[in-house]
Amino acid sequence: MASASAQAAAQAATAASPAAQPLQRGIVKMVLSGCAIIVRGQPRGGPPPERQINLSNIRAGAMARRAALSQPDAKDTPDEPWAFQAREFLRKKLIGKEVCFNVEIKTALGREYGMVYLGRDTTGENIAESLVNEGLATVRREGIRGNNPEQARLCEMEDQSKASKKGMWSEGGGAHTIRDMKYTIENPRHFVDSMHQKPVNAIIEHVRDGSVVRALLLPDHYLVTVMLSGVKCPSFKREADGVETPEAFAAEAKFFTESRLLQRDVQIIMESCPNQIILGTILHPNGNITELLLKEGFARCVDWSMAVYTQGAEKLRAAERAAKERKVRIWKDYVAPTANLDLKDRQFVAKVMQVVNADAMVVKLNSGEYKTIHLSSIRPPRIEGEMAFGNEVSDEEML
């Protein structure tokens, strides 16, 4: 058995005040729940490292979870009462903000618990105290250490919020705070058409890659996947063994979108739904992410989906052109097309064999060779969902 002095030393180490612990700083990337956040560092030559910090001494309700598609018998898990309200309280307060924290406990599985303060030092707002004060979290009273002033203060604040009937301590049990989550849409095309291209309030809940996001539509709580109209970013290719391999600049494009939109309040204009894919434009007070991705060389224009873009396709072309001229990111090796073609390549006699669409045709030369000719300087409307012939056509192939 450990000696009394050893036990006292262990208790003193466990009960050390937050100010005595090493203080760390970061930017809040995501709020998982009312008692868990993801903090990232500063980017240096690529996406920064990140870690999950769980708030010490408190517990907030668990958020709704969709059943795993690989388990057909599993059922969706609904919100616990006041869970979404606690998440929203932290999301609006912390997303994109600098916080400081210290890790008090790290479990054998690597789960970290600590105190989190808004700002660069512990004089800032204590996040756990704010949640308890609003009645959005309960205090973990099991194993309370009598000499820990932080826990004692939290217990006092919880008693006060109970007396004031705040949040979860209000009458009614909180059934009205549980969302009716909708993970699937029976007829996506009809759903998009019913919106009449009017902006819909939403929260971006996940970023798959730079141009594909998962959004929570408000106030009806539809969780939908949206692909940005008119553009495509480098993506992550899933191999046969399940490992994802990023294309060049895929991680950087994803971080670019994440750092600006993840868990932000936005508006989405749902513009079309070909092949069950919702195409849309995401608007944020700081700008249009579609145009920003193109301007910074993280995306390229895509003709087939640009046909439904409602904000002015010429803006997208201009943004892409600017990135090409600067040779940034995906355009770092871009070489502008040249008009110095041989006369035999400029003029020839051929027979039209196929009309692909309003600006493309396949011809057969006298030599028997086939060529695809694209008419220059025009861009006719395309059938919804139609891909450009032969995928994307480079500028060098335009005649």
Side-chain angles (χ1 to χ4, degrees), residues 207-229:
V207 175
R208 192 182 81 184
D209 59 47
S211 54
V212 180
V213 303
R214 193 84 163 145
L216 180 67
L217 305 183
L218 302 174
D220 297 321
H221 302 295
Y222 284 97
L223 195 60
V224 301
T225 299
V226 178
M227 178 183 294
L228 295 178
S229 299

Side-chain angles (χ1 to χ4, degrees), residues 5-291:
S5 60
Q7 289 179 350
Q11 289 176 350
T14 304
S17 65
Q21 303 291 327
L23 200 61
Q24 302 177 65
R25 299 183 181 89
I27 304 296
V28 177
K29 169 188 171 179
M30 189 174 186
V31 176
L32 300 175
S33 70
C35 55
I37 63 176
I38 292 180
V39 179
R40 66 168 176 83
Q42 294 291 351
R44 291 183 175 85
E50 56 188 53
R51 61 202 290 193
Q52 178 176 330
I53 303 298
N54 304 281
L55 300 180
S56 294
N57 305 320
I58 68 168
R59 181 190 182 281
M63 296 277 287
R65 292 179 65 89
R66 187 180 185 184
L69 298 178
S70 59
Q71 301 175 9
D73 296 331
K75 294 183 178 180
D76 299 337
T77 303
D79 288 328
E80 290 186 354
W82 296 96
F84 182 63
Q85 287 67 26
R87 198 291 293 262
E88 287 295 272
F89 178 80
L90 288 194
R91 181 182 71 84
K92 293 176 180 179
K93 185 181 292 291
L94 297 181
I95 286 296
K97 301 288 182 63
E98 184 176 28
V99 296
C100 63
F101 61 94
N102 49 61
V103 176
E104 298 179 318
I105 300 171
K106 186 170 184 177
T107 69
L109 297 176
R111 196 174 177 87
E112 297 180 309
Y113 293 83
M115 303 294 291
V116 178
Y117 302 86
L118 184 58
R120 295 186 58 81
D121 56 51
T122 56
T123 61
E125 179 180 349
N126 183 311
I127 301 305
E129 289 183 0
S130 296
L131 284 159
V132 172
N133 186 57
E134 295 296 325
L136 297 173
T138 57
V139 179
R140 295 181 183 273
R141 294 179 181 249
E142 63 273 14
I144 286 181
R145 301 182 292 272
N147 60 344
N148 188 326
E150 290 290 345
Q151 284 186 313
R153 178 172 170 77
L154 285 172
C155 289
E156 290 177 4
M157 297 182 77
E158 183 179 63
D159 292 339
Q160 291 172 4
S161 65
K162 283 182 181 179
S164 301
K165 296 184 178 180
K166 287 185 176 181
M168 65 178 64
W169 310 116
S170 60
E171 297 177 358
H176 65 286
T177 66
I178 300 174
R179 296 172 295 168
D180 177 19
M181 291 293 295
K182 304 172 184 69
Y183 298 106
T184 59
I185 299 174
E186 186 173 341
N187 189 333
R189 184 186 294 268
H190 175 73
F191 177 78
V192 170
D193 290 344
S194 70
M195 297 298 175
H196 305 292
Q197 296 186 346
K198 294 181 179 178
V200 178
N201 293 328
I203 303 168
I204 303 302
E205 296 287 3
H206 174 70
V207 175
R208 192 182 81 184
D209 59 47
S211 54
V212 180
V213 303
R214 193 84 163 145
L216 180 67
L217 305 183
L218 302 174
D220 297 321
H221 302 295
Y222 284 97
L223 195 60
V224 301
T225 299
V226 178
M227 178 183 294
L228 295 178
S229 299
V231 299
K232 186 181 187 306
C233 290
S235 59
F236 298 80
K237 293 185 176 180
R238 186 177 293 275
E239 306 296 339
D241 56 3
V243 176
E244 286 190 337
T245 303
E247 296 177 339
F249 296 102
E252 292 85 348
K254 179 180 179 181
F255 176 71
F256 185 87
T257 298
E258 271 187 347
S259 61
R260 288 157 177 79
L261 294 188
L262 183 61
Q263 288 202 330
R264 264 54 170 210
D265 293 304
V266 301
Q267 288 192 315
I268 299 178
I269 300 174
M270 287 180 281
E271 293 160 326
S272 184
C273 187
N275 304 321
Q276 308 297 302
I277 299 171
I278 295 179
L279 295 173
T281 296
I282 301 174
L283 304 177
H284 184 272
N286 291 339
N288 181 332
I289 192 66
T290 308
E291 295 174 15

